DNA sequence: AATAATAGTTATTGACCATAACTACTTTTG
DNA sequence: CAAAAGTAGTTATGGTCAATAACTATTATT
């Protein structure tokens, strides 16, 4: 990293040096994440969903009968934290939770028709909100970005 | 996105469909962020620093005399939340906080020698921890990733 | 049958972010 | 100049999200 020596004194007026942090990949990833997340959050709020709750619903829609444990593992959230989300989804009748006959410890999660409808609308709105944040990148650049991000995640997989 | 129709039933065994979320850039950014952040966090913890606190220290080191307000604006954190971090840095004698003569509402923040030393060591450790997460990417790919991320952030600047 | 492991739950904690309300001080402006 | 408005820092508080420990019920192991 370029040393960019500190100025001897800095009264708010001068251009501010972001210091070592801007050189860190994690900082830059976080800043981009905040942009995308707040846009997605706002879009999801229109459906009374928070992002983690939407993620749960989305996976349940695509995987009827998935168990809470499998869902938690996939989304990398703690089962204990999942409970309250599924509770809410069930209360709102977006998801059904039925005990399995073969193993009564387990539950099958399925989206209701209402759940599927809400999911589809929310997914569209969130995707649109994201797209508005990504206009600075061409389609192929977005694909490239995605691939690079996934290689970071993939290289650290358990 | 490819529709990838839901299977009629899915008992944990089958490959799980991540649903709409994997198609969202924000989700992918977050997953990569978690990898980088937890590595950085662990490295920072060895110096009894959390990442936001380290970021504050880092900017103060590079900008002697910066005010809390300018610091908060740069790091995009609330002034109210900054107070506790600066409190801690001051208590640990890593940073000094002196009232300005010209405007007694403002304070000048400066890193102490101890603060600079700790910062330099922590910055090195954090950078090393990050590098270990980025071995899957060549140097030029890392630069590309950084540029793409910054274009997202930049396009949404106030 | 006793023990261990698994699935789900509850309660609690901590990190982090955001807001409102406040004090002290400075700048604006009538 | 005095009143009003704005700025800097602070305090208190609440919300979201993540992580842990301890618990119950059920199934698998030996």
């Amino acid at each position: 990293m370029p040393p960019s020596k500190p100025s001897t004194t800095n009264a708010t007026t001068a251009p501010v040096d972001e210091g070592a942090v801007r050189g860190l990949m994690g900082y830059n990833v976080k800043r981009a994440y905040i942009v995308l997340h707040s846009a997605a959050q706002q879009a999801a709020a229109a459906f009374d969903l928070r992002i983690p709750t939407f993620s749960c619903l989305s996976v349940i829609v695509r995987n009827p009968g998935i168990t809470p444990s499998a869902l938690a593992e996939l989304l990398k959230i703690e089962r204990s934290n999942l409970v309250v989300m599924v509770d809410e989804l069930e209360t709102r009748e977006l998801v059904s939770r039925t005990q399995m006959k073969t193993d009564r410890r387990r539950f099958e999660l399925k989206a209701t028709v209402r759940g599927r409808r809400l999911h589809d609308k929310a997914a569209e709105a969130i995707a649109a909100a994201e797209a508005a944040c990504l206009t600075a990148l061409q389609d192929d650049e977005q694909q490239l970005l995605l691939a690079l991000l996934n290689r970071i995640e993939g290289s650290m997989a358990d």
Side-chain angles (χ1 to χ4, degrees), chain A:
Chain A
M1 42 183 143
S4 78
K5 60 179 178 253
S7 55
T8 50
T9 300
N10 193 327
T12 65
T13 60
V16 188
D17 180 345
E18 294 189 63
V21 289
R22 194 44 100 172
L24 294 173
M25 184 67 78
Y27 185 76
N28 294 276
V29 173
K30 178 173 195 178
R31 295 287 282 245
Y33 170 67
I34 289 172
V35 169
L36 292 165
H37 182 256
S38 62
Q41 196 169 42
Q42 209 172 332
F47 303 90
D48 231 318
L49 290 170
R50 280 165 290 110
I51 298 297
T53 313
F54 167 76
S55 302
C56 286
L57 177 58
S58 187
V59 174
I60 294 169
V61 165
R62 294 289 187 93
N63 301 274
I66 192 172
T67 63
S69 286
L71 181 53
E73 191 190 1
L74 182 72
L75 292 176
K76 295 212 193 300
I77 59 184
E78 292 298 318
R79 280 173 317 193
S80 59
N81 293 325
L82 193 77
V83 174
V84 293
M85 295 187 222
V86 175
D87 277 351
E88 189 202 328
L89 289 172
E90 195 184 23
T91 301
R92 292 173 62 182
E93 295 181 19
L94 302 173
V95 155
S96 69
R97 171 160 48 177
T98 62
Q99 205 170 25
M100 289 175 74
K101 290 273 166 67
T102 58
D103 185 340
R104 276 160 39 211
R105 290 171 302 183
R106 292 182 173 171
F107 289 85
E108 285 188 342
L109 302 175
K110 290 187 182 178
T112 63
V113 175
R114 240 184 110 200
R116 260 188 299 280
R117 284 209 198 105
L118 187 73
H119 168 265
D120 291 349
K121 283 191 225 162
E124 196 183 332
I126 293 171
E130 275 212 340
C133 298
L134 293 173
T135 51
L137 303 186
Q138 314 257 323
D139 281 6
D140 60 335
E141 288 175 323
Q142 292 183 27
Q143 290 313 113
L144 179 56
L145 174 55
L146 224 122
L148 291 170
L149 292 168
N150 288 341
R151 276 167 62 196
I152 294 174
E153 187 188 338
S155 72
M156 292 289 140
D158 307 337

